[in-house]
Amino acid sequence: SNIDFNPVEDEDSSRILFEIKCHFNLVSEKNNDEYKLENRKLRFVYLSKLNDEVTDDKKLLDEIEKFYDNQGYPEDMNTFIEYMPQDSYTNCKILILRFHEFLNLEGEQLRLI
């Protein structure tokens, strides 16, 4: 059974984060460590799903870029965003490799928390 994948729209991610916040009874918005952790988990799940479902590299980078823009430009994602300045030469394949490295590291770190 193949699951249809529709990227989370900005308003959906905001609603989901609001529900997470309410569920955990978080008082101090985005400065709360618990909120940051839940946001990080949601980001990991979303990006993993994108990675699994979008097979075209250019389209994948475009979808990642939309997510990055909607999430307020998280600095830890800069290395695989096409329009961000890079330390060295990059192309589509290199950006995808960096994205996969990011996902693997995030997955490992989140499992340890």
Side-chain angles (χ1 to χ4, degrees):
S1 66
N2 197 4
I3 298 171
D4 284 340
F5 176 68
N6 295 317
V8 177
E9 296 297 327
D10 191 29
E11 56 272 6
D12 291 340
S13 61
S14 296
R15 180 185 51 78
I16 290 166
L17 289 173
F18 177 75
E19 289 173 9
I20 289 170
K21 187 177 114 179
C22 290
H23 177 74
F24 286 95
N25 198 18
L26 303 175
V27 178
S28 64
E29 289 281 324
K30 296 177 182 178
N31 294 327
N32 184 295
D33 288 340
E34 204 170 350
Y35 179 88
K36 287 178 184 175
L37 178 59
E38 293 307 314
N39 189 47
R40 192 171 162 196
K41 289 177 189 176
L42 180 63
R43 177 179 74 169
F44 176 75
V45 169
Y46 179 84
L47 291 175
S48 296
K49 188 76 171 158
L50 266 183
N51 186 56
D52 291 344
E53 298 292 330
V54 181
T55 55
D56 178 77
D57 286 350
K58 181 62 178 139
K59 184 168 184 200
L60 177 58
L61 288 174
D62 289 345
E63 291 299 320
I64 292 166
E65 192 174 291
K66 286 180 197 171
F67 179 80
Y68 172 80
D69 295 348
N70 288 336
Q71 294 300 306
Y73 317 101
E75 284 186 33
D76 60 350
M77 292 176 64
N78 287 353
T79 59
F80 51 90
I81 301 301
E82 196 166 18
Y83 66 77
M84 291 301 292
Q86 303 297 327
D87 291 340
S88 58
Y89 170 78
T90 56
N91 59 28
C92 188
K93 295 287 182 207
I94 292 171
L95 293 173
I96 293 292
L97 283 172
R98 290 179 182 173
F99 170 62
H100 289 156
E101 289 171 2
F102 171 82
L103 270 188
N104 291 335
L105 186 59
E106 269 298 277
E108 288 172 20
Q109 290 177 350
L110 287 171
R111 279 188 278 283
L112 295 175
I113 295 174

